[in-house]
Amino acid sequence: MVSLFTSVLLSLCLFSSHILSNVNAKPKLGFTTDLIHRDSPKSPFYNPAETPSQRMRNAINRSFNRVSHFTDLSEMDASLNSPQTDITPCGGEYLMNLSLGTPPSPFMAVADTGSDLIWTQCKPCDDCYTQVDPLFDPKASSTYKNVSCPSSQCSALKGEAPCSTEDKTCSYGISYGDGSYTEGKVAVDTLTLGSTDNRPMQLKNIIIGCGHNNAVTFRNKSSGVVGLGGGAVSLIKQLGDSIDGKFSYCLVPENNQTSKINFGTNAVVSGPGTVSTPLVLKSRETFYYLTLKSISVGSKNMQTPNSDTKGNMVIDSGTTLTLLPVKYYFDIENAVASLINAEKSKDERIGSSLCYNATADLNIPVITMHFEGADVKLYPYNSFFKVTDDLVCLAFGMSFSRNGIYGNVAQKNFLVGYDTVSKTMSFKPTDCAKL
């Protein structure tokens, strides 16, 4: 990663009794997994000593830290004296529980739509961060196999996978802007997704990173990353034809509730209220790009400064706020403030520039995101987030890039579908808690 880190208590729904669990056989799969927000009491990141405002401030900081992950230097707004920001690796907001090897060794990992490689810490660990779960031991798995070099599996990691001169095995090394990194062996092994009906799914010969030298910023218990991006070694691409390139998720508004992520036949988004927009391909194939044409606040429609640029916004489940180019952000903020007849509040701990007393009658205006071919009408809880019982703030922020990031607050109570084959992204208003 860099920057979509949700306990995979899998509700596995197979629609044909003869479907096999072996991904290599290319069956058509449909299954659903729980996602646990990092601030949920079910998450290892949960700190009961933190106040709601502290959790929200941390989430906002993670949002801004992820901007540099999605931004090329060429995309930075040269007209702004932008500050240097570090990348927070695996700064995702959702976690999964899964198992690796034979017999299965359980571990918890960050689910990240902003990265590709699936990796975990492994024995022997030359230099690793502290985790609560036992380290994965490759020697204890009968299905573990180092990837040889050269090979198609090694080359799938492109420049991140050098060949070892000692044993001709494939190694990898990924570093992040804040000095964090993961280094180790590229391997294949069986990844097991558990299910509540005791029918675990085994995904055989999945390419993984076995990290022997790692330093990251997340607190203990999380053992690695499950990459859900668009690159060749992500879980989505490795499942490939078996899920027809489809996955979707539905994020509940309350972080202490369980969200859902769906794959394959379970991931189809259709029916009344569904709108779709093209996924735009760019050189950075990991990320999912959309084209935002304009934003409406009430009846005022404001065109994005780069509305003619295809793929001017990244959608990311691991970023909390929706981030916009600075000048455009202030246009949106001013339009929102002009329609709310209430006194502004300030909370320096949060860092959001438009906040109000939560007890006031705000009459929040309707904000509509006009993507190419798809108008997504936000609910009040998509536009504003509750910091404390007394304070709500606009769920938009500034990006020091020409492009934007569509964050997870705006996506809550929408069934969000990724179809990497037809290259479309779909949104359907949904009560996610009822799924």
Side-chain angles (χ1 to χ4, degrees), residues 245-429:
K246 294 183 179 69
F247 74 102
S248 65
Y249 51 72
C250 207
L251 307 178
V252 295
E254 298 296 328
N255 291 340
N256 60 355
Q257 294 181 306
T258 300
S259 297
K260 296 289 190 294
I261 183 169
N262 314 291
F263 299 87
T265 55
N266 283 24
V268 175
V269 180
S270 62
T274 302
V275 295
S276 299
T277 186
L279 277 172
V280 179
L281 297 178
K282 288 195 172 187
S283 58
R284 302 182 75 181
E285 62 183 9
T286 297
F287 308 138
Y288 297 103
Y289 295 92
L290 310 177
T291 301
L292 180 68
K293 307 296 286 185
S294 64
I295 298 176
S296 292
V297 179
S299 61
K300 185 176 183 179
N301 190 311
M302 290 159 283
Q303 191 176 55
T304 57
N306 55 352
S307 60
D308 294 332
T309 301
K310 297 289 187 181
N312 59 9
M313 176 163 275
V314 175
I315 183 168
D316 180 40
S317 64
T319 300
T320 299
L321 303 182
T322 292
L323 304 178
L324 304 171
V326 175
K327 295 177 182 178
Y328 189 54
Y329 165 78
F330 281 114
D331 290 341
I332 302 302
E333 181 188 285
N334 291 335
V336 172
S338 70
L339 296 177
I340 296 180
N341 185 21
E343 184 178 351
K344 297 179 183 178
S345 296
K346 275 285 186 182
D347 191 326
E348 300 299 334
R349 297 169 297 175
I350 296 300
S352 183
S353 58
L354 185 62
C355 299
Y356 295 95
N357 190 312
T359 60
D361 184 11
L362 297 182
N363 194 22
I364 295 172
V366 173
I367 298 177
T368 303
M369 310 294 291
H370 299 286
F371 295 105
E372 182 178 349
D375 295 339
V376 179
K377 180 179 176 181
L378 302 184
Y379 297 97
Y381 51 75
N382 300 124
S383 304
F384 278 77
F385 60 89
K386 191 173 185 180
V387 179
T388 66
D389 290 338
D390 302 322
L391 189 71
V392 294
C393 296
L394 184 65
F396 288 72
M398 293 174 283
S399 166
F400 292 94
S401 166
R402 296 189 184 95
N403 295 334
I405 300 175
Y406 196 51
N408 62 48
V409 172
Q411 299 176 54
K412 292 186 175 183
N413 267 0
F414 284 89
L415 184 58
V416 182
Y418 297 65
D419 189 332
T420 63
V421 173
S422 67
K423 301 295 188 293
T424 57
M425 172 76 64
S426 299
F427 300 90
K428 181 181 181 180

